[in-house]
Amino acid sequence: MNAVTQTNVVTQTPLVTEARRGFAPWAGLTVLLTLGVLLAASADRWQGGWAETAAELHNAVLITVPAAAAAGCWQGGRERRRRTEELWATVPRPPLARFLVAALPTALWVAAGYAVAAGLALLATWPYALGDGPRPALVPTDAGVSGAAVLAGHAVGRLVPARLTAPLLAMAGYVGLGVTAAAHEGAGRYLNPALPVMESWVPVWWQPMAMAVWAGGLAGAAVLAYAARRRWTALLPLAAATAAGALLAQTGDGLWHTDPLARRQVCDTSVAPAVCVNARYAGALPQITGALSGVTGRLKGVRNLPVRWEDRDGGPRDDEAALPSLTPLGWSFVRGRLTDTGEFAREAVGTLVLRGDCPDDRLGVRFERADDAVENYLAPLPSQRYFDDLDSQGDARRRAALAERRAARARLAAMGEPERRDWLSAYFAARAACDPSGVPAL
């Protein structure tokens, strides 16, 4: 009986009541739904990769932090709006305890709303990710920053309890974070919890903790300065925030490093040229090789080809061709699948034919006609007839050029296999050397 009585007493404490009823659960649900709508609307660009999901979740802090601050501000002005300040002051608790009873449930619900949305996003990515693993390192910090924003906003709401304070605070927070995030220089930008991150960036191990201390310290200082009996105690979290902020600002670009996995490639060397994809999408290699099978089949036995199609930052080397980019997700590559294998193959042929850095004055009619014939042979464009019809309606020069291109395509297609292999071998050698005279006649 005593245990039951104690349990009932505990469940009736003001903190639990605030957490179970009233504004706090709705604030958490609002954050969850807002973040869920934002993520659902942009699912095509993050659902196929763990790194993209992590970046999207972190960049959403630009929305959740101002919203959390506004929620805390609205809750902070509640007693003034209800005209129950004097009644609340008669409660036999110190001001700090009364502050935390009103503010802490909202902060916890908001942080939980962000964490649940992040967890659902990670679950949504799991069936489609094809390479690297989950990156949840920033989720606890971003959830904590949102909760800290509630506490700071609550203090503002207590000081300025007008109804317009909450929306104005949200607007100011959004503009402040957005302007700082858009800055391209200055140490202050590294103090921004909503600083956008690239998919290939990985934080150093201590960066999330330093950011949590920075944001939490500022919020704690604001709470203690407003509600503590000994307001000098606000100096303690402020000192911690200052130390963490100084560390973040001084480290600067060193807070992030490139994911080692993003520098690696996984290759299929059973075809020529070999097909290589970034290791972050290693699972996509079979379907990419399949998309290029028509091209590599027609190139079987051809010499002077690039060694591989490569997929890495910095551009291809002299003996390589660039693989059509799979990123940013949401265009040619969505949820682990190529959206148009034919278009992907045509782009790959384009990088194969036009590789190198041939100056325009070295390119002439001979190269243009040969390039057109090779591209149409390796990966014909379905709408080629439409473009040819446009040229056929042009002036005499365009019609003559079209007739020559069509004749070159027909001659290349009509060659026997050995003759065509020799012709293509000579063509790719001339292309690599930027030597129009080396292009065999068509």
Side-chain angles (χ1 to χ4, degrees):
M1 179 65 71
N2 290 338
V4 174
T5 302
Q6 291 177 357
T7 301
N8 289 335
V9 171
V10 171
T11 57
Q12 295 302 316
T13 60
L15 185 63
V16 174
T17 301
E18 288 281 358
R20 292 176 58 186
R21 304 173 185 175
F23 179 74
W26 289 105
L29 182 61
T30 300
V31 170
L32 172 61
L33 293 178
T34 300
L35 190 53
V37 170
L38 292 174
L39 291 172
S42 60
D44 285 355
R45 70 173 184 236
W46 58 264
Q47 202 171 358
W50 291 116
E52 286 79 4
T53 302
E56 195 74 18
L57 286 171
H58 174 73
N59 294 340
V61 171
L62 180 63
I63 302 297
T64 61
V65 165
C73 183
W74 183 259
Q75 179 78 339
R78 178 183 63 177
E79 307 307 329
R80 182 73 63 88
R81 293 194 304 273
R82 294 178 176 179
R83 299 180 180 179
T84 58
E85 283 183 304
E86 294 182 2
L87 179 62
W88 184 241
T90 62
V91 175
R93 288 187 177 86
L96 180 59
R98 296 199 300 268
F99 183 99
L100 293 178
V101 164
L104 198 57
T106 305
L108 294 176
W109 269 102
V110 165
Y114 180 93
V116 170
L120 293 175
L122 292 173
L123 287 176
T125 295
W126 176 69
Y128 305 105
L130 297 173
D132 56 347
R135 295 186 182 182
L138 295 178
V139 171
T141 296
D142 291 339
V145 168
S146 298
V150 172
L151 297 178
H154 195 96
V156 174
R158 289 287 185 92
L159 291 171
V160 188
R163 292 181 180 274
L164 289 178
T165 304
L168 290 176
L169 180 62
M171 293 175 58
Y174 178 78
V175 172
L177 292 176
V179 169
T180 308
H184 296 292
E185 57 184 16
R189 63 193 298 264
Y190 301 105
L191 303 178
N192 184 355
L195 181 68
V197 300
M198 302 295 291
E199 289 80 4
S200 59
W201 290 1
V202 177
V204 296
W205 65 271
W206 52 264
Q207 190 273 346
M209 292 183 287
M211 181 58 69
V213 173
W214 161 249
L218 291 180
V223 170
L224 293 176
Y226 172 79
R229 287 180 176 176
R230 297 178 178 84
R231 296 187 176 181
W232 60 266
T233 56
L235 296 176
L236 299 178
L238 184 60
T242 301
L247 181 61
L248 291 169
Q250 291 178 2
T251 306
D253 290 336
L255 294 170
W256 307 87
H257 60 85
T258 302
D259 182 8
L261 199 63
R263 299 192 184 102
R264 290 178 47 208
Q265 295 186 93
V266 179
C267 300
D268 183 346
T269 58
S270 65
V271 294
V275 180
C276 300
V277 299
N278 194 285
R280 287 174 50 210
Y281 310 104
L285 182 59
Q287 64 169 303
I288 291 175
T289 302
L292 298 177
S293 60
V295 177
T296 54
R298 290 183 174 90
L299 291 174
K300 189 173 183 180
V302 176
R303 303 178 303 279
N304 304 319
L305 292 170
V307 174
R308 65 185 67 85
W309 276 290
E310 60 82 27
D311 182 22
R312 61 165 172 262
D313 294 335
R317 302 187 179 99
D318 291 339
D319 59 346
E320 298 174 337
L323 188 77
S325 181
L326 301 178
T327 57
L329 302 185
W331 295 92
S332 63
F333 197 59
V334 178
R335 295 182 182 90
R337 304 298 300 177
L338 291 172
T339 56
D340 188 340
T341 55
E343 180 62 26
F344 186 84
R346 284 186 289 275
E347 292 180 5
V349 168
T351 64
L352 187 69
V353 168
L354 301 179
R355 70 188 181 96
D357 191 21
C358 295
D360 292 341
D361 58 359
R362 299 293 300 275
L363 299 175
V365 175
R366 196 177 184 91
F367 258 144
E368 292 176 3
R369 190 183 305 151
D371 291 346
D372 177 79
V374 171
E375 289 181 353
N376 274 273
Y377 171 69
L378 294 178
L381 186 67
S383 57
Q384 186 62 57
R385 183 173 180 178
Y386 169 77
F387 293 108
D388 287 350
D389 288 343
L390 291 179
D391 284 339
S392 68
Q393 299 170 14
D395 55 23
R397 183 183 60 82
R398 288 178 61 184
R399 293 196 300 271
L402 173 61
E404 292 175 352
R405 290 198 303 273
R406 282 176 166 170
R409 296 172 198 164
R411 285 193 291 270
L412 180 60
M415 289 180 181
E417 289 295 329
E419 181 185 6
R420 186 162 47 237
R421 282 198 299 269
D422 291 341
W423 188 95
L424 288 171
S425 299
Y427 162 80
F428 281 110
R431 245 304 177 179
C434 295
D435 181 15
S437 64
V439 178
L442 270 179

